Amino acid sequence: MATLLYRLGRLTFRRRRLALLIWMAILVAVGVGAATASKPATKPFSIPGIEAQKAIDLLEERSPDAGGGGATARVVFQAPDGTRIDDPQNRAAVDKTIGALDNTPEIADISDPYSTATVSADGTTAYATVDYLVGADILKDSTRDTLEDAVKQGQAAGLTVEVGGDALEAETSVGNGEIIGIAVAAVVLAITFGAMIAAGLPLLTAILGVGVGIAGITAVAGIFDLSESTSTLAMMIGLAVGIDYALFIVSRFRSELRLGRDPEEAAGRAVGTAGSAVVFAGLTVVIALAGLAVVNIPVLTEMGLAAAFTVVIAVLVALTFVPALLGFAGKRIFGRKERKRAAAQSSHAAPAAEKPNMGSRWARFVLRHPVVVLLGTIVGLGAVALPAASMNLGLPDDSAKPTSTTQRQAYDILADSFGPGFNGPLLLVVDTAGATGPGGPEAAADAVRQQVLTLSGKGVASVGAVNLNEAGTLATMQVTPTTKPSDPKTETLVHDIRDVVKGAEAQTGAKTLVGGTPALNIDFSEKLNDALVPYLLLVVGLAFLLLIAVFRSILVPLKAALGFLLSVTAALGAVVMVFQYGWLNELFGVEQTGPIMSMMPIFLVGVVFGLAMDYEVFLVTGMREAFVHGQSARESVVSGFKHGARVVTAAAIIMIAVFAGFIGATDSMIKMIGFGLAAAVFLDAFVVRMALVPAVLALLGKSAWWLPKWLDRILPNVDVEGDSLRKHIDAQAAAQVPDPQQEREREPVGT
């Protein structure tokens, strides 16, 4: 592997203009494809296999008119203090507001609160439901403007008017995170390298890789019906790893130049050594992201595969485009001051001894106190991880939005006037096509209703009337819980309802499915929770096997996997502290605590595992290289930190900055993802990799690199440490040394 990449690095260095043209042509081609590609069709969020999704599918099959699918707006009216919403002047204001929505092209139906009896018991609040023909993501701006203008008319008449639902849902912007990340990356790279060319090169190549990746995804989005959100994760991960991979190769190139190599040789060696680490680090990220497909949730599969694609592009860019740009930069990869200092030192007989840097000093400290560092790391991470045991999973609703939003205010008014469970009713869908016994479908549906009524006072606030479709094959009824949608008691109620309706099913043959938003969220959370362990086994298992081949060791990959589990659990604990417990919530702009997003654990595991293995590969590869080349086990730890700690630190800071940029988002889900990823990278890079790794290796000593002989024989020799490359180069150098006798024979006569 290392020898092949060494040749590739030298080739692209020599043919740098051709490499540049090829990448520019690829960028133009995918850009044209993206610009001319058809837009993917809007598709609903789907979670195959869960009961709530089966209820949605059955409803759309038997009663498509009731299935909805378009955007909704719940316009909430509250009367001024001391008046009722059905007073003549207030009723006129409500009618005028609803009338302003008439003739809006995209509206399917508008309910009247007085004719549908959606007025609170105390007479202070009413609401009208507006159903649209199209989804919120493609709702026209003119339609939103009409709704907002109608609301202003009601407010001008003295009413409090707020709008819940997704019709006015603002499109989430994620561009600021990338801008902040690039800005911080530029500063960190400038400090790390001390040269503008060296700092700008990783940014340029990362932007090229992200551009090719995102354009490629956009070009095929219409063909594979990808959602518009698919590219979000791909952009975040592609940018982060693209900068990191280029950073490692540029850093190794500069190290080789300092050893006196000519630029072409330095580029070949950089790609052969650091490039090998890039390949295997990229493979671990791809395994983690592509492994999200095992969860069998389409949106997660799409996001994972798209992000994996951008990682593959980032690896290819690092191996081919980076050495090409190094060919243009040459020794200008150093700053002017360092070039002058190197020229001055070349006239001296012996350069000054290199002083130990911060990385080597820290490694020697850990080697002196491995037990203290190890115990301190485990206890500290364990304390941070403890809250993860009480994590309450769910999907954020309007109650998690900032109090300044109209959706949150509408939610609060409805909860106060109609009860906390009103914002999350359950929908029972009864398949009456196979109903048996006297009374037919009506009796079967009523039997289900009577069974649910037995839970009155045990979580059920009310059970609505039975609605039967025209064919008599489907019945629906609404159940209002006594608790809010995100309350754990609502989850208990969903399971209780599913238990009690089994009695009616046994009597009538009609199968009942419990749906509605709360049930969908509960089923979604349970599906993800059930998939977490198989996903971990698959991803960690495959990466473990890969790392065995990379490090030629059993204990080093095992330590890497266990360290990752510790860091990701601690990151989840930090998320629970801020977003569920509310600790330091004001510092991070969290206005409302609530359940942790259902996708957070498996999402965090998938993304962070790949990135954590990046740091493991880059840091420990340097140790392995030093050990193979003759250093003792303890000294190899120091060498690994001497050459890798500063670069890994810079890479981690860049990645933390990219993710932390999303903490300022108004959307609670984006904020939580940004915080969780930033916390996980910080804990893994600066606590696990910088403290736990050297402490464990110090205690293990030479046995850390033990590998059974039988396993050593069957494993492929990937040579990530470049030992075969060194032998190859030495053999080439020996072959090129001229024989003095042959040289004399070649001399022309008379010279």
Side-chain angles (χ1 to χ4, degrees):
M1 171 68 76
T3 304
L4 177 64
L5 293 178
Y6 166 78
R7 293 169 177 165
L8 177 63
R10 295 194 62 165
L11 176 65
T12 53
F13 184 96
R14 289 195 305 271
R15 304 293 181 87
R16 47 189 172 271
R17 291 179 177 79
L18 177 61
L20 178 63
L21 288 175
I22 290 174
W23 275 110
M24 291 302 102
I26 292 173
L27 180 61
V28 171
V30 294
V32 171
T36 58
S38 59
K39 190 175 181 179
T42 302
K43 58 181 180 180
F45 182 71
S46 176
I47 311 167
I50 63 174
E51 181 171 326
Q53 183 65 51
K54 293 177 181 177
I56 294 172
D57 296 340
L58 184 62
L59 189 64
E60 291 180 348
E61 177 189 341
R62 304 276 178 86
S63 186
D65 293 338
T72 60
R74 184 178 279 180
V75 185
V76 182
F77 304 92
Q78 191 170 42
D81 292 341
T83 66
R84 293 175 58 88
I85 199 66
D86 53 2
D87 288 345
Q89 69 276 16
N90 292 334
R91 182 162 184 164
V94 171
D95 291 340
K96 183 178 180 181
T97 302
I98 296 175
L101 296 174
D102 288 340
N103 302 320
T104 304
E106 291 183 312
I107 288 182
D109 184 56
I110 307 174
S111 68
D112 177 75
Y114 302 105
S115 61
T116 56
T118 53
V119 179
S120 63
D122 60 6
T124 62
T125 307
Y127 69 90
T129 302
V130 184
D131 294 320
Y132 291 87
L133 296 170
V134 297
D137 53 342
I138 58 174
L139 206 62
K140 292 181 180 178
D141 291 338
S142 59
T143 302
R144 299 179 197 270
D145 293 340
T146 300
L147 178 58
E148 291 174 345
D149 292 341
V151 168
K152 291 176 182 177
Q153 291 186 32
Q155 292 170 341
L159 300 178
T160 298
V161 187
E162 303 296 343
V163 182
D166 58 356
L168 291 183
E169 198 75 51
E171 184 178 350
T172 303
S173 174
V174 296
N176 290 338
E178 275 70 22
I179 294 172
I180 293 172
I182 291 174
V184 173
V187 174
V188 173
L189 289 170
I191 295 173
T192 302
F193 290 135
M196 294 305 297
I197 292 178
L201 195 149
L203 292 176
L204 178 62
T205 55
I207 292 171
L208 170 72
V210 169
V212 171
I214 299 301
I217 293 168
T218 305
V220 300
I223 300 174
F224 294 101
D225 197 22
L226 303 179
S227 63
E228 293 185 0
S229 62
T230 301
S231 60
T232 302
L233 178 63
M235 185 181 299
M236 292 172 62
I237 302 302
L239 180 62
V241 301
I243 295 174
D244 282 2
Y245 294 166
L247 168 64
F248 287 116
I249 291 179
V250 172
S251 178
R252 187 59 183 253
F253 176 72
R254 284 160 55 96
S255 297
E256 295 293 338
L257 286 179
R258 289 192 181 103
L259 294 175
R261 321 278 189 207
D262 68 81
E264 181 180 331
E265 179 67 14
R269 288 176 181 255
V271 176
T273 52
S276 296
V278 164
V279 169
F280 288 99
L283 273 177
T284 60
V285 181
V286 169
I287 288 172
L289 293 171
L292 288 171
V294 303
V295 184
N296 194 28
I297 295 177
V299 66
L300 270 181
T301 301
E302 292 172 3
M303 291 173 67
L305 292 178
F309 171 70
T310 59
V311 172
V312 171
I313 297 298
V315 171
L316 294 176
V317 167
L319 297 180
T320 57
F321 192 55
V322 169
L325 292 186
L326 292 176
F328 290 107
K331 293 188 177 181
R332 287 176 297 171
I333 201 72
F334 296 113
R336 188 173 299 175
K337 290 183 180 179
E338 187 168 356
R339 293 202 303 271
K340 288 182 178 179
R341 185 167 60 249
Q345 287 181 350
S346 63
S347 60
H348 295 83
E354 187 177 356
K355 295 181 180 180
N357 60 14
M358 181 66 73
S360 58
R361 290 198 298 270
W362 167 252
R364 292 191 185 281
F365 170 80
V366 176
L367 289 174
R368 290 194 301 269
H369 312 284
V371 176
V372 174
V373 173
L374 179 61
L375 291 178
T377 300
I378 293 175
V379 171
L381 289 175
V384 178
L386 277 177
S390 59
M391 182 166 50
N392 179 25
L393 295 178
L395 289 179
D397 53 22
D398 286 348
S399 65
K401 287 184 168 59
T403 54
S404 58
T405 62
T406 186
Q407 291 91 345
R408 171 61 186 276
Q409 293 177 26
Y411 181 98
D412 290 341
I413 293 172
L414 290 172
D416 292 339
S417 301
F418 293 90
F422 186 80
N423 283 294
L426 300 170
L427 182 66
L428 272 59
V429 180
V430 186
D431 183 359
T432 56
T436 59
E442 294 87 351
D446 187 64
V448 172
R449 187 174 186 275
Q450 294 304 317
Q451 290 286 351
V452 178
L453 282 172
T454 62
L455 296 174
S456 295
K458 301 177 183 179
V460 172
S462 65
V463 182
V466 174
N467 297 307
L468 203 65
N469 68 348
E470 293 182 2
T473 59
L474 186 78
T476 59
M477 66 194 79
Q478 186 170 288
V479 179
T480 303
T482 58
T483 51
K484 63 181 182 179
S486 59
D487 195 309
K489 293 180 180 178
T490 304
E491 180 178 352
T492 302
L493 176 63
V494 169
H495 293 298
D496 289 344
I497 293 175
R498 287 173 175 167
D499 288 337
V500 300
V501 298
K502 291 178 182 177
E505 181 179 347
Q507 295 173 7
T508 65
K511 182 174 178 58
T512 303
L513 300 171
V514 180
T517 302
L520 185 68
N521 293 348
I522 291 165
D523 290 350
F524 182 39
S525 299
E526 291 180 352
K527 182 180 177 73
L528 287 170
N529 196 42
D530 292 342
L532 183 58
V533 173
Y535 174 70
L536 266 176
L537 291 175
L538 173 68
V539 172
V540 176
L542 289 176
F544 180 74
L545 295 176
L546 180 65
L547 292 179
I548 288 177
V550 171
F551 295 130
R552 318 296 293 183
S553 165
I554 296 292
L555 296 179
V556 171
L558 180 62
K559 174 265 309 169
L562 294 177
F564 157 74
L565 293 175
L566 191 58
S567 62
V568 79
T569 307
L572 286 172
V575 171
V576 171
M577 289 180 194
V578 175
F579 291 88
Q580 186 173 315
Y581 293 173
W583 299 354
L584 301 176
N585 59 325
E586 294 182 358
L587 178 63
F588 297 102
V590 180
E591 295 187 15
Q592 182 67 39
T593 59
I596 304 304
M597 184 180 64
S598 302
M599 289 191 295
M600 196 66 195
I602 202 162
F603 182 85
L604 201 64
V605 166
V607 175
V608 176
F609 180 79
L611 301 181
M613 292 305 102
D614 275 6
Y615 303 132
E616 178 75 14
V617 169
F618 288 122
L619 192 60
V620 181
T621 294
M623 301 176 192
R624 171 72 182 173
E625 183 177 348
F627 181 76
V628 169
H629 292 166
Q631 291 189 11
S632 67
R634 293 175 66 86
E635 282 303 312
S636 66
V637 173
V638 177
S639 294
F641 269 80
K642 177 182 178 181
H643 299 295
R646 185 179 184 184
V647 180
V648 168
T649 299
I653 292 173
I654 290 169
M655 201 168 290
I656 291 169
V658 171
F659 296 143
F662 295 91
I663 297 177
T666 56
D667 186 275
S668 60
M669 293 175 63
I670 299 297
K671 186 188 293 287
M672 192 181 297
I673 289 173
F675 176 84
L677 291 177
V681 171
F682 172 80
L683 292 169
D684 194 272
F686 293 111
V687 181
V688 172
R689 306 304 153 191
M690 293 295 178
L692 188 142
V693 166
V696 171
L697 291 179
L699 293 173
L700 291 176
K702 188 176 180 180
S703 61
W705 308 107
W706 170 80
L707 185 70
K709 292 183 179 179
W710 64 269
L711 185 57
D712 186 45
R713 287 193 297 270
I714 63 176
L715 280 177
N717 184 15
V718 296
D719 190 31
V720 73
E721 70 278 351
D723 187 50
S724 63
L725 171 61
R726 182 176 59 85
K727 294 177 181 177
H728 171 76
I729 294 174
D730 290 344
Q732 277 192 328
Q736 292 173 359
V737 174
D739 185 333
Q741 179 63 31
Q742 291 179 346
E743 290 297 314
R744 284 193 295 271
E745 291 175 355
R746 290 196 190 100
E747 290 178 1
V749 177
T751 58

